[in-house]
Amino acid sequence: MTDTRPGIVICAWDAGESGWDPVEDLSGEPWNPNGARTVPVPSASPEALASTLSAHLSDRRCRALLLVGRTRSHEGFRLQMRAENRSLDGAARRDGVGPSVARATAPVAEMVRALKEAGLAADATSEAEDDAGSYLLYSVLSSLPDGADTPAVGLLRAPEKESDDAVQRAVKTAAQAMARHLAPLPRSRAI
């Protein structure tokens, strides 16, 4: 049978992040939001990860990306709405000809609303943090081709001291909110 569910890539960029585990039980199968299938991507070096994530999104069956990481500057969950054109160390521009800022394409307002409805403190921010998450968000967004069929790309930050259970719940809630905006794949793209 053909799987017409669009793919949503979920990636915790920090190798030490224990809050997001796509496999919940002994089945070895990753969790999937309603109406979509999860494509888990393990952490790697930021440069390699940017390339891997962009390759996944170039596959027309993958329609979304949720980056997951921590924030050191806030007490609640945050959805980062933009990223600046900065190198990984923040000392220079990442791309000499790219735009100064890239804006997230995920349904941020709906994601924040869903997180709040799940009982989690959450908001959206235009402030980037100087870390691999912001670097990855910019790298992926700036590599997307122009067009009306742009994938949903977002970055969810959990408070630094938040429990793994709360992070797991937040990732699932945000991914489910993203999945509600994804249309089933045409049969010609389904796997």
Side-chain angles (χ1 to χ4, degrees):
M1 183 161 148
T2 304
D3 191 345
T4 60
R5 296 176 302 165
I8 178 170
V9 175
I10 302 178
C11 177
W13 68 80
D14 184 356
E17 178 56 57
S18 60
W20 169 244
D21 181 3
V23 179
E24 300 180 299
D25 55 31
L26 298 176
S27 72
E29 293 296 316
W31 167 84
N32 293 303
N34 291 332
R37 61 185 170 78
T38 302
V39 180
V41 173
S43 63
S45 73
E47 294 86 358
L49 200 49
S51 177
T52 299
L53 296 171
S54 292
H56 275 291
L57 290 177
S58 69
D59 178 345
R60 306 292 292 155
R61 295 171 297 181
C62 273
R63 302 306 308 139
L65 164 65
L66 180 61
L67 293 166
V68 179
R70 299 285 180 159
T71 179
R72 296 174 305 281
S73 64
H74 198 267
E75 296 300 313
F77 289 91
R78 301 197 96 179
L79 283 151
Q80 186 173 318
M81 297 188 299
R82 67 184 193 102
E84 297 173 359
N85 184 353
R86 307 301 287 153
S87 60
L88 192 53
D89 65 5
R93 290 176 62 94
R94 177 199 171 278
D95 181 350
V97 296
S100 299
V101 173
R103 300 199 183 284
T105 55
V108 172
E110 289 87 348
M111 293 165 75
V112 169
R113 189 174 318 120
L115 289 166
K116 287 181 177 180
E117 287 172 0
L120 301 165
D123 67 1
T125 183
S126 290
E127 294 179 25
E129 295 189 24
D130 291 329
D131 65 5
S134 293
Y135 173 85
L136 288 168
L137 184 62
Y138 181 87
S139 297
V140 169
L141 288 169
S142 66
S143 71
L144 292 174
D146 290 334
D149 201 17
T150 302
V153 177
L155 187 156
L156 173 67
R157 293 183 180 277
E160 197 168 37
K161 296 185 184 345
E162 192 65 68
S163 72
D164 288 353
D165 287 342
V167 174
Q168 190 88 331
R169 200 168 89 216
V171 171
K172 288 180 177 181
T173 300
Q176 188 61 62
M178 290 177 86
R180 282 193 289 271
H181 290 268
L182 303 177
L185 298 174
R187 292 193 194 286
S188 62
R189 278 198 228 161
I191 54 174

